[in-house]
Amino acid sequence: MAAASRRILGVLFLLAAFGSGTARADGLDAFNAASLAINRTLASHVVVPALDTYRKLPPFMQAMGSNAYANLTEPVTALSWAMAGEGAKAGASMVRFGINSTAGLLGVMDVASAAGFTVPKKYFSEGVCAAGIPPGRYVEVPGAGASSAGVVGSALAVMVGSTWALSYVSVEVAVASVVLDLVATAAALEGLAASGDVGPVRRQADYMAWLELSGCDVDAAAG
């Protein structure tokens, strides 16, 4: 399962690399348009119904679900802070993950915050920018959403490296890491579901503007 998932991600990375500057702009635009169509279909037929069902749950169950998801993404926040050179925040984020994964019953309860361990969320794209990694050209990744060649390549390296390392500890743990990867990428479509009928040009402009605010050299990405 882990190997198959990583092969799929490898294909996505090669498609992302298509936008690195070696391909013609019109070819990349066609790929992004096709990917956006796929993601809109996933958003409307999978994400929106799932969100509608989630919002009908009792408030306490919604809170548990939100806490559990936040806990699943805590290691990404820790890694992003580490890439930004903020070791103390990265460490505190991992402490939060350890507390909530144990005392918080796999994260359904935010025990860490109640105990005074709070760390601002840091997105992976922000960590990539802070590390000085060139963002590369805009890429609409099938099943994941708006991204860039540099961000996708960095994410792939982290995913493959972490699964390879965890496989030496436990195959079950390695498979679990793949599941978390898939949960994180699927969740990225939530924004697309809420964005309505935003066109591909506006969507690309919005994402690249957000990258620029995160510290990325967007001018270099466009070259």
Side-chain angles (χ1 to χ4, degrees):
M1 177 179 177
S5 297
R6 291 316 187 228
R7 289 192 193 100
I8 293 173
L9 289 169
V11 171
L12 294 181
F13 173 67
L14 290 176
L15 292 174
F18 185 72
S20 64
T22 59
R24 288 168 46 187
D26 57 348
L28 178 58
D29 289 344
F31 168 74
N32 284 340
S35 297
L36 182 58
I38 292 172
N39 288 341
R40 286 200 187 285
T41 299
L42 289 173
S44 60
H45 294 287
V46 178
V47 178
V48 170
L51 288 176
D52 288 343
T53 300
Y54 171 77
R55 289 171 182 139
K56 293 176 183 177
L57 296 174
F60 79 93
M61 293 186 68
Q62 291 187 37
M64 291 172 64
S66 296
N67 288 339
Y69 174 70
N71 189 57
L72 288 176
T73 61
E74 195 73 55
V76 177
T77 292
L79 174 61
S80 300
W81 280 120
M83 294 174 72
E86 296 280 357
K89 290 180 179 177
S93 185
M94 287 309 298
V95 169
R96 279 181 50 81
F97 181 68
I99 293 174
N100 286 337
S101 296
T102 52
L105 303 178
L106 299 180
V108 297
M109 295 185 294
D110 189 1
V111 179
S113 292
F117 292 95
T118 59
V119 180
K121 184 175 180 62
K122 189 85 167 170
Y123 292 96
F124 185 73
S125 297
E126 296 176 305
V128 170
C129 291
I133 299 172
R137 293 177 180 251
Y138 177 82
V139 177
E140 182 77 28
V141 183
S147 190
S148 71
V151 172
V152 173
S154 299
L156 179 68
V158 171
M159 291 176 186
V160 172
S162 63
T163 303
W164 175 77
L166 288 172
S167 67
Y168 284 89
V169 178
S170 166
V171 173
E172 290 77 10
V173 172
V175 170
S177 80
V178 175
V179 173
L180 298 189
D181 294 341
L182 296 178
V183 169
T185 53
L189 293 178
E190 180 179 351
L192 180 61
S195 68
D197 195 26
V198 174
V201 175
R202 168 69 184 278
R203 182 164 164 79
Q204 175 175 341
D206 287 347
Y207 179 77
M208 299 308 284
W210 179 79
L211 275 186
E212 187 171 20
L213 288 175
S214 301
C216 272
D217 186 356
V218 175
D219 290 337

